[in-house]
Amino acid sequence: MQSVDVPVALLGYGTVGAAVHRLLAEQGDEIERATGHRLRVVRALVRDPSRGRGFDPGARVLTTDVREVLDDPSIRLVAEVMGGVEPAGDHVLSLLRSGRSVVTANKQLVARHGPELFAAAAAGGAQLRFEASVCAAIPVIKVLRESLVVTNVHRVLGIVNGTTNFMLSAMSDGQSYAEALAEAQRLGYAEADPTDDVGGLDAAAKMAILATVAFGSRVPLDWVEVQGIDALREEHVEAARGLDMRVKLLGRATLAHGRVDVRVGPAFVDAHHPLAAVDGPFNAVMLQGDAIREITLEGPGAGGIETASAVVADLVSIVGTTGTGFLQGDPVWRQVERMPPGELSSLWYLRVLVEDRAGVLARLAQELAVEGVSVARLVQQPANGHAVLHVVTHEAPAGRVEAALAAIRALPESRGEATALPVVSERGVEELGWA
């Protein structure tokens, strides 16, 4: 079989871009044997060509002029690894409309502008692939779109942000929030400005993409209910440990009765649950559907080489399936409604700070009962002249729980601190107790 030379351009040449170039160069023989194509990086768009790089791009590869990519008819395949919505979005749209296929690792771009991007790809007869935008080296998009195409997936549950998972693992080992964040930044898992990670925005974009692909219906980013770990306290981690649970930042997408609910936030995960054991900068995604019951995919979710491996896999898929590739089309084929935000039910952990005096427990139970929230476990602990109440409830809608907490915060005996976190467990609530 005669090898076909494929000129490739990179939009961006930071950590991920350099790693993509290195993999294409070092694994070129293997790629050629598998596909009959030799992928060769000929242009890389950068802001500052003089900056040091993790891999030598070679002579005349770096450019600051995007027109050298857009106007070169020999470049039919581009990897966008520059990040940000603009100008990356304009560049990608121009390429797709002109018939050039694009692989992107840009979660915000795909989550915010998916319809426009897929329309451009269809108009230009090009492919858009985005595996690296979600869980780096974990091929969850490919599994959802190809292996599970007739499975009727109705739930996606996962740890989709390696930075926060690393931090929460460190906090479970006794570090403070500040110490865990500093360590994550020192090791390169967290950016100097970690807002998107700790605020849950990174995970929200990934869950919007996963829900869209899993359910075949567009899930806009603003449908995702988001809570980060930046308001989490060490006391929550300690309470989870006492309940034989772990605190994790979870993404949860549920399709029920033609309506979808997608949310990101900290949760108490039963130590017996598969996600509880996922520590450090790792991701894991559980897919539940009619034909498969449950599949869990786990692997590294952060890092340049891990993301680059997913980018290269998509590049290889494009050159190996041009004209017949399953992923050429928009994954959306239907329209489902958004579930009202407070309707999804869960087990809950409640932490309430109150005055330590008679009658308070009865008042608390009364406010919960008014909203139909049933208490399964309750433990009271002294705290500097007050009392901390740790409550595990039976399954209840989120809106009911929040209404009960609002009433509890307004009680004269309340010290104003009443928070709720969902509990994820495959055991019955009666089996959950204090260690």
Side-chain angles (χ1 to χ4, degrees):
M1 179 174 62
Q2 185 175 1
S3 176
V4 178
D5 186 74
V6 180
V8 176
L10 304 177
L11 301 184
Y13 205 88
T15 302
V16 175
V20 169
H21 195 175
R22 182 169 67 251
L23 286 175
L24 290 177
E26 294 178 351
Q27 305 300 321
D29 291 344
E30 286 76 5
I31 293 171
E32 186 175 356
R33 278 196 293 269
T35 67
H37 296 74
R38 172 72 65 168
L39 277 62
R40 179 171 53 87
V41 175
V42 296
R43 287 287 183 275
L45 180 67
V46 296
R47 291 190 182 92
D48 180 9
S50 65
R51 208 185 83 190
R53 307 288 166 180
F55 182 77
D56 182 6
R60 296 185 297 279
V61 169
L62 300 184
T63 179
T64 59
D65 184 1
V66 71
R67 301 311 314 181
E68 292 194 27
V69 176
L70 300 178
D71 296 342
D72 186 340
S74 72
I75 297 174
R76 311 300 300 171
L77 187 56
V78 179
E80 185 275 304
V81 288
M82 63 191 300
V85 175
E86 294 299 340
D90 286 341
H91 298 339
V92 171
L93 283 171
S94 296
L95 289 162
L96 293 172
R97 287 168 180 157
S98 65
R100 266 76 73 83
S101 293
V102 176
V103 171
T104 180
N106 195 329
K107 66 191 75 69
Q108 293 293 338
L109 181 60
V110 176
R112 295 176 185 276
H113 298 290
E116 190 177 4
L117 295 173
F118 281 107
Q127 293 193 45
L128 172 68
R129 298 203 181 212
F130 51 96
E131 186 72 71
S133 69
V134 179
C135 290
I138 305 175
V140 62
I141 299 296
K142 186 176 182 65
V143 169
L144 279 171
R145 296 206 64 189
E146 298 184 6
S147 302
L148 304 184
V149 66
V150 296
T151 300
N152 190 27
V153 173
H154 51 72
R155 189 175 188 228
V156 180
L157 177 69
I159 297 167
V160 296
N161 182 272
T163 300
T164 52
N165 200 55
F166 174 86
M167 290 176 60
L168 291 172
S169 299
M171 292 173 69
S172 292
D173 291 336
Q175 291 189 24
S176 68
Y177 176 90
E179 290 169 338
L181 176 56
E183 181 73 357
Q185 290 173 323
R186 186 184 70 80
L187 294 174
Y189 298 136
E191 302 288 344
D193 179 2
T195 303
D196 280 3
D197 290 321
V198 300
L201 303 178
D202 175 271
K206 294 174 180 177
M207 289 306 300
I209 295 169
L210 284 174
T212 294
V213 176
F215 305 147
S217 178
R218 189 77 59 204
V219 176
L221 187 55
D222 59 10
W223 280 20
V224 184
E225 295 285 320
V226 185
Q227 181 182 358
I229 68 167
D230 40 2
L232 203 66
R233 299 170 52 168
E234 285 80 7
E235 289 88 340
H236 288 106
V237 176
E238 293 173 4
R241 189 181 301 114
L243 275 168
D244 195 24
M245 298 187 188
R246 304 292 181 269
V247 181
K248 298 290 183 183
L249 183 72
L250 291 187
R252 293 177 293 155
T254 305
L255 178 65
H257 309 295
R259 297 187 300 174
V260 62
D261 179 276
V262 186
R263 58 189 60 232
V264 167
F268 275 26
V269 181
D270 182 4
H272 295 263
H273 192 278
L275 294 181
V278 180
D279 286 329
F282 279 73
N283 286 180
V285 180
M286 300 181 70
L287 308 173
Q288 297 175 352
D290 293 345
I292 57 167
R293 294 202 300 182
E294 184 174 284
I295 290 176
T296 301
L297 305 171
E298 180 180 350
I305 192 66
E306 292 83 1
T307 302
S309 71
V311 171
V312 171
D314 272 349
L315 292 171
V316 169
S317 293
I318 289 175
V319 298
T321 61
T322 299
T324 60
F326 181 75
L327 294 182
Q328 290 186 61
D330 192 329
V332 170
W333 56 272
R334 61 177 170 176
Q335 182 175 351
V336 299
E337 298 178 359
R338 183 187 186 187
M339 188 182 299
E343 190 170 306
L344 190 71
S345 291
S346 174
L347 305 176
W348 297 91
Y349 162 78
L350 312 180
R351 184 181 188 276
V352 183
L353 183 65
V354 296
E355 291 183 9
D356 190 4
R357 60 185 177 86
V360 175
L361 289 180
R363 295 290 301 276
L364 174 88
Q366 180 182 1
E367 298 298 346
L368 290 170
V370 166
E371 296 295 336
V373 180
S374 175
V375 175
R377 302 268 179 182
L378 188 150
V379 173
Q380 178 175 331
Q381 293 179 326
N384 299 322
H386 300 93
V388 177
L389 306 180
H390 303 275
V391 182
V392 176
T393 77
H394 290 279
E395 195 165 293
R400 294 277 187 172
V401 172
E402 188 49 51
L405 284 185
I408 290 169
R409 293 187 192 104
L411 293 175
E413 300 89 349
S414 174
R415 296 293 70 122
E417 296 185 24
T419 58
L421 294 177
V423 172
V424 176
S425 175
E426 295 179 344
R427 298 190 291 168
V429 68
E430 293 79 9
E431 299 177 72
L432 300 174
W434 292 85

